[in-house]
Amino acid sequence: MIRSILLRRLVSGVITLWLISVVIFAVLHVLPGDPRLIALGDEYTQEQWDAMTREMQLDQSLLAQYASWFKGLVTFDWGNSLMSPYPISELLGSAIYYTALLTLFVMILVIPISTVIGVYSAVHSGRLADSVASFLTLSLAAMPGFAIAVLTIYFLATNVFRIFPGSSIFNPNASVWSQLDLFALPVLASVLGLIPYPVRMVRAAMIEALESDAVMVARLKGLPERTVIFRHALRMCLGPIVQAFGLTLVFLSGGTIIVETVFSYPGVGYELIQGVGRRDFPVIQTLVVILAFFTIVLNLLTDLAVMIVTPRLRTRM
Amino acid sequence: MVGLAATAACSSDSPSPSSSAGASPGTPRKGGLLRVGVIGSSGNIYDPHFTSSDTDQGRGQQIADSLALLAPDLPYRSELALAESFEMNANATVATIRLRSGVEFHHGKSLTADDLIFSLQRILDPTNPGRAASSLASIDINGIKKLDDLTVELTLKAPDSLLPTRWGSSQTSILPTDFDPAKPVGTGPWVMQSFQAGARSTYTAFPNYWREGQPYLDELEIIDFADNTPRMAALLAGQVDAIDGVDSTLIPQLPPSGFTTVITKSGFYQPITMRVDSAPFSDPNVRLAMKLLIDREQMVQQAYSGLGEIANDMPCPGDPGYPDLPQREQDIEQAKSLLRNAGYEDLTVTLNTSAQNGGMVNSAQVYAEQAKAAGVTVNINIQDAATWSANHKEDQFKQNYWAAGLVGGSWSQRWSEGGRSNESWWSDAEGDQIYNQLLSTTDEAQQAEYAGQLLTKLHESGPDIIHSFKSNVDLTTDKVKGVIPMESNGWNLGSWRYRLMWLEG
């Protein structure tokens, strides 16, 4: 049963990815902004224009351009950026590495923090602690990501306290691990922006579990409250919790653009913004497809994990 | 024969106590590392002949030198660098260039005429022209002659008396005949150690640099930022020592001490340009009315936080021929009557702009506000940079931004028929003729007179509303000294002359 669902999802995922590649290619080519103009500036000769056209292969038909890009994409031969002599794989490889590290650090913090706050709020539902937690998470949820990021810079890097570096400018000639302080603010800003959703999800699932018959039975049996909460209630809401973190991860993988821009953090969001600004078609197209790929895979893995931790769903298969 | 005099090795762009705001008095101190934050992008390249963005130009200039360099102060003039002399014949058709002797490239080779010839051929290569190909277009690639080991004669396809002024940028760098783009070397003050696109580049001082005693610092790092916010944060948090071309609205964020603001008055301008090939701006009276709408003093205060000078609808204030015409003032009544007589009462136009140069959107908004007084409705259309540049030439009413220069240096691109940047679709046969005369004479008084005539034309009926000259703002920590204000072109942080900077304490 799981196998057939998996197969169906894989096939639909591949089709979705292909459609995305077509759409992003088409959208970019109708968007105003000619990369040749951006590369050459205001003053150029006809020879420069022609040389640039050949170099960027813009003299070929759209279909030929798509075909050659798509072929490269699936064979992992991503070609060169239009604007620089560097292979896209090199540009993106480093960006993906940095974004993956950021994601890792953020999730290591988000999962325990939001579980603790969510469970605590649910157990103390309606009391002061719950109201305070609700107020804080709702306030954070209402704040745009860039505002959170700028505020962390203001308070922790520049104007109030000078604890952390204000910009994540990594020295590429030194090891990332010797520059861990550069992660502080992007991780903090991402965590603050992300926790409201899983906190609300954990709290809701936990409240539901605490009100369930199973928990009532456990309490009637006279089990200690601690055991009731952690052994019984928490286990019952593992499904929704895993789903919440899966979705958080999806938000994060697509939503690092703001945080990376505000902190000059050299990840995929940064590369994407740079690529769009320069109309660097192959870079944007490839990045968008990679981001879509991760989103689809993460969604799939999340659903799988939910099935595995939810006995009800597991048996139904 | 008319020529440019050779300047001494210690040329006038050295810092001196008499320089204006921002230049730091004192004796340069040797040693140390300077970290400069720039707005970069991962598209950056370091081959000096192919740099296009300001950031890349600044980078290219560190490793390579050109024949001449723009002097920092006004009037606009160039100072010889790798050329010891640059002479033009009287009708500006033959140039004789003698190179400085004893100049060394980073890899030990000496500079010779062959390197100059190689560089010119590389820039003018028809199959893969360098970025300077358009400004050096007058040089006939088949008419380059080596006279001796250090002397080269150029025959021009058309007279070009401004040729000696066209060598300021890294795009015209003299590179060695064995230049390898993968390991770029030049005669520049800095030897490149590492380069990572979109991240940073590092340099060490070139010990055999031909300008005696420079650079003062041991090391230089140019660090790329995606955006102004993280760059400002990095300066405030001590991650970089200097940032260039800052939006003046960020100045109030500076703490009261520890930082220095270098404000450079220059001829940098953000014109509002009207297309003259169609109504309503084909009518010179309408163009004049649009110029009369502006309260220029208020424009400088509101759009540029007071950091600028009012202008008189003419660019190039450093041009030796800049005419002394009465300052145009706001005159709503006259503007209204001009518009009424032309049949454009209650005119509505859309002004296309982009936030890519600080102050552009602000000045568009101030203009729209001021235009209301005469019943003119200006709708502002803010576009992202790429869309803006794609539509720019077609748009009817728009803003752009330009560095200062000589009017003769920009006429062919901006105001002559078929010019690449002729965004107003301006055409003036008489103007083009004056321009050709300017290029055909090496007599400086004559040149100035022709330039004055061109500027007067632009003042009287030109397509550009040039309301103010925007000052450039650089920020450094107090430790950074030797940042020279570049009045002549308004480029940032002393036009990237990091060789003149030093760290105090």
Side-chain angles (χ1 to χ4, degrees):
Chain A
M1 195 67 175
I2 287 193
R3 195 174 293 166
S4 83
I5 290 180
L6 203 61
L7 200 67
R8 225 171 35 231
R9 292 284 300 268
L10 278 176
V11 171
S12 73
V14 168
I15 294 172
T16 309
L17 269 182
W18 175 72
L19 283 174
I20 284 169
S21 83
V22 173
V23 169
I24 185 67
F25 183 88
V27 165
L28 281 181
H29 284 82
V30 296
L31 206 64
D34 190 317
R36 286 170 291 191
L37 278 176
I38 297 161
L40 289 170
D42 277 305
E43 299 188 4
Y44 54 87
T45 62
Q46 191 60 42
E47 286 83 15
Q48 286 171 314
W49 182 263
D50 296 341
M52 192 59 81
T53 306
R54 280 193 304 274
E55 196 183 312
M56 293 184 173
Q57 301 179 335
L58 294 174
D59 47 351
Q60 297 172 11
S61 74
L62 276 187
L63 201 64
Q65 288 182 48
Y66 175 79
S68 102
W69 167 65
F70 188 77
K71 184 172 167 249
L73 187 71
V74 292
T75 53
F76 294 98
D77 173 15
W78 295 342
N80 277 6
S81 149
L82 286 188
M83 300 289 165
S84 62
Y86 308 103
I88 292 177
S89 54
E90 202 176 289
L91 290 179
L92 299 194
S94 144
I96 289 170
Y97 173 67
Y98 277 105
T99 295
L101 276 183
L102 180 63
T103 307
L104 178 73
F105 293 148
V106 170
M107 290 312 284
I108 286 176
L109 289 173
V110 163
I111 292 175
I113 292 175
S114 40
T115 308
V116 167
I117 298 177
V119 169
Y120 192 84
S121 299
V123 171
H124 299 84
S125 152
R127 283 190 263 162
L128 182 65
D130 180 37
S131 309
V132 170
S134 291
F135 175 74
L136 289 179
T137 50
L138 285 174
S139 308
L140 280 174
M143 241 194 277
F146 75 87
I148 297 178
V150 169
L151 285 175
T152 63
I153 294 178
Y154 183 85
F155 283 104
L156 297 173
T158 58
N159 297 56
V160 183
F161 300 108
R162 287 195 183 190
I163 305 172
F164 298 118
S167 267
S168 299
I169 40 169
F170 287 91
N171 183 348
N173 308 315
S175 143
V176 168
W177 307 103
S178 65
Q179 309 172 66
L180 283 178
D181 56 336
L182 298 182
F183 284 101
L185 293 189
V187 168
L188 179 65
S190 305
V191 167
L192 289 177
L194 285 171
I195 51 172
Y197 173 71
V199 165
R200 308 295 299 170
M201 290 289 285
V202 171
R203 181 181 174 276
M206 195 66 186
I207 285 176
E208 199 187 323
L210 286 173
E211 285 166 357
S212 70
D213 295 343
V215 166
M216 209 181 294
V217 170
R219 282 198 175 126
L220 286 175
K221 273 199 238 164
L223 290 176
E225 188 64 11
R226 183 178 294 256
T227 317
V228 172
I229 291 168
F230 290 100
R231 282 268 170 78
H232 297 268
L234 195 57
R235 190 175 289 169
M236 286 173 66
C237 45
L238 267 184
I241 290 178
V242 167
Q243 189 153 29
F245 291 128
L247 281 177
T248 306
L249 202 52
V250 171
F251 288 150
L252 182 58
S253 70
T256 52
I257 293 172
I258 290 162
V259 162
E260 291 186 0
T261 304
V262 174
F263 293 104
S264 231
Y265 184 92
V268 289
Y270 178 100
E271 284 299 337
L272 192 58
I273 289 284
Q274 298 286 338
V276 171
R278 288 178 282 128
R279 295 291 189 270
D280 197 336
F281 297 149
V283 168
I284 310 170
Q285 288 160 191
T286 310
L287 251 183
V288 166
V289 173
I290 291 174
L291 284 175
F293 171 79
F294 279 117
T295 305
I296 289 170
V297 169
L298 284 173
N299 269 320
L300 186 58
L301 291 179
T302 305
D303 289 352
L304 266 179
V306 170
M307 287 178 204
I308 289 165
V309 299
T310 314
R312 203 155 28 100
L313 291 176
R314 206 166 42 202
T315 50
R316 202 182 293 168
M317 281 171 227
Chain B
M1 297 280 268
V2 184
L4 288 176
T7 43
C10 183
S11 52
S12 66
D13 65 5
S14 296
S16 70
S18 62
S19 304
S20 54
S24 329
T27 316
R29 193 177 146 272
K30 278 282 196 182
L33 159 73
L34 177 73
R35 299 160 302 167
V36 185
V38 297
I39 298 296
S41 83
S42 49
N44 290 347
I45 49 170
Y46 48 73
D47 185 329
H49 287 167
F50 291 93
T51 55
S52 55
S53 69
D54 302 348
T55 305
D56 283 347
Q57 290 260 53
R59 236 190 279 272
Q61 192 178 303
Q62 307 314 318
I63 58 171
D65 291 306
S66 192
L67 292 178
L69 196 58
L70 186 62
D73 51 346
L74 294 175
Y76 195 94
R77 65 201 155 81
S78 60
E79 286 174 343
L80 294 176
L82 291 183
E84 191 177 78
S85 67
F86 196 125
E87 293 176 339
M88 304 286 294
N89 65 344
N91 57 1
T93 51
V94 177
T96 310
I97 299 159
R98 184 164 176 82
L99 293 170
R100 198 176 279 275
S101 66
V103 175
E104 204 179 289
F105 287 103
H106 298 157
H107 59 331
K109 185 180 155 354
S110 292
L111 172 73
T112 68
D114 295 327
D115 302 309
L116 173 54
I117 295 171
F118 164 79
S119 302
L120 287 175
Q121 286 172 339
R122 191 167 186 260
I123 293 166
L124 299 171
D125 179 0
T127 59
N128 187 25
R131 296 285 180 272
S134 63
S135 64
L136 301 184
S138 60
I139 298 173
D140 181 356
I141 192 169
N142 301 313
I144 304 175
K145 211 186 315 171
K146 178 176 166 181
L147 299 186
D148 64 42
D149 256 5
L150 289 173
T151 316
V152 172
E153 186 185 89
L154 308 176
T155 309
L156 306 187
K157 291 189 266 189
D160 185 7
S161 63
L162 296 179
L163 189 63
T165 68
R166 301 189 193 272
W167 301 88
S169 83
S170 94
Q171 298 166 346
T172 62
S173 294
I174 308 308
L175 303 175
T177 48
D178 55 353
F179 183 75
D180 173 7
K183 272 180 79 181
V185 294
T187 62
W190 302 96
V191 183
M192 198 171 83
Q193 296 298 317
S194 71
F195 176 89
Q196 180 156 1
R200 76 175 75 194
S201 41
T202 60
Y203 307 83
T204 54
F206 178 35
N208 298 342
Y209 188 52
W210 60 273
R211 283 183 170 102
E212 209 68 41
Q214 294 179 20
Y216 303 127
L217 298 151
D218 290 336
E219 287 178 277
L220 171 69
E221 262 184 52
I222 301 176
I223 302 172
D224 297 74
F225 289 83
D227 189 72
N228 267 308
T229 311
R231 195 169 66 137
M232 185 75 176
L235 178 76
L236 295 179
Q239 294 172 277
V240 295
D241 308 303
I243 59 178
D244 62 358
V246 179
D247 200 337
S248 55
T249 54
L250 289 174
I251 298 179
Q253 288 185 22
L254 282 180
S257 67
F259 297 91
T260 303
T261 311
V262 184
I263 294 166
T264 306
K265 288 176 181 168
S266 80
F268 190 97
Y269 65 113
Q270 297 176 333
I272 298 171
T273 297
M274 301 170 275
R275 258 184 85 160
V276 300
D277 62 337
S278 58
F281 301 131
S282 47
D283 184 338
N285 287 319
V286 175
R287 298 202 291 273
L288 178 59
M290 299 307 276
K291 293 174 183 173
L292 290 168
L293 296 176
I294 304 186
D295 178 340
R296 292 159 200 255
E297 198 52 56
Q298 191 187 35
M299 180 65 94
V300 171
Q301 293 308 323
Q302 296 188 353
Y304 302 143
S305 315
L307 302 175
E309 310 269 285
I310 63 168
N312 200 13
D313 297 318
M314 288 180 285
C316 313
D319 196 306
Y322 195 75
D324 185 20
L325 300 174
Q327 174 64 49
R328 189 164 280 145
E329 308 276 355
Q330 185 183 41
D331 189 338
I332 299 292
E333 283 317 305
Q334 202 200 339
K336 273 167 115 167
S337 101
L338 284 168
L339 289 171
R340 200 167 41 238
N341 292 340
Y344 291 108
E345 221 167 348
D346 306 320
L347 178 67
T348 297
V349 281
T350 298
L351 179 54
N352 294 288
T353 186
S354 158
Q356 69 167 338
N357 190 257
M360 251 162 86
V361 173
N362 290 353
S363 53
Q365 283 161 342
V366 173
Y367 185 74
E369 200 53 45
Q370 293 180 346
K372 276 185 195 162
V376 176
T377 307
V378 177
N379 297 314
I380 299 172
N381 178 24
I382 305 174
Q383 299 163 316
D384 78 277
T387 310
W388 170 82
S389 59
N391 298 336
H392 190 70
K393 205 167 171 192
E394 300 302 320
D395 285 335
Q396 186 198 29
F397 195 49
K398 56 225 173 172
Q399 273 182 307
N400 201 342
Y401 58 100
W402 297 94
L406 292 170
V407 67
S410 35
W411 185 271
S412 69
Q413 292 283 344
R414 293 218 50 215
W415 297 288
S416 74
E417 211 169 339
R420 286 286 177 203
S421 312
N422 188 346
E423 50 202 24
S424 59
W425 302 72
W426 179 256
S427 99
D428 179 347
E430 196 194 11
D432 288 350
Q433 200 191 335
I434 297 172
Y435 169 68
N436 285 331
Q437 284 173 312
L438 195 164
L439 289 189
S440 307
T441 180
T442 47
D443 183 283
E444 286 178 16
Q446 274 286 311
Q447 287 182 340
E449 193 181 318
Y450 292 134
Q453 290 173 12
L454 294 176
L455 288 165
T456 304
K457 272 180 178 297
L458 293 178
H459 173 82
E460 281 168 359
S461 59
D464 298 304
I465 304 170
I466 302 174
H467 46 74
S468 356
F469 297 119
K470 182 190 151 200
S471 297
N472 180 62
V473 181
D474 300 319
L475 297 177
T476 70
T477 65
D478 282 347
K479 276 169 47 182
V480 179
K481 305 291 174 190
V483 180
I484 49 166
M486 281 295 293
E487 292 174 16
S488 47
N489 65 2
W491 280 139
N492 320 314
L493 224 67
S495 215
W496 314 299
R497 283 151 154 100
Y498 303 130
R499 60 184 162 86
L500 294 174
M501 299 178 197
W502 78 93
L503 296 171
E504 205 172 66

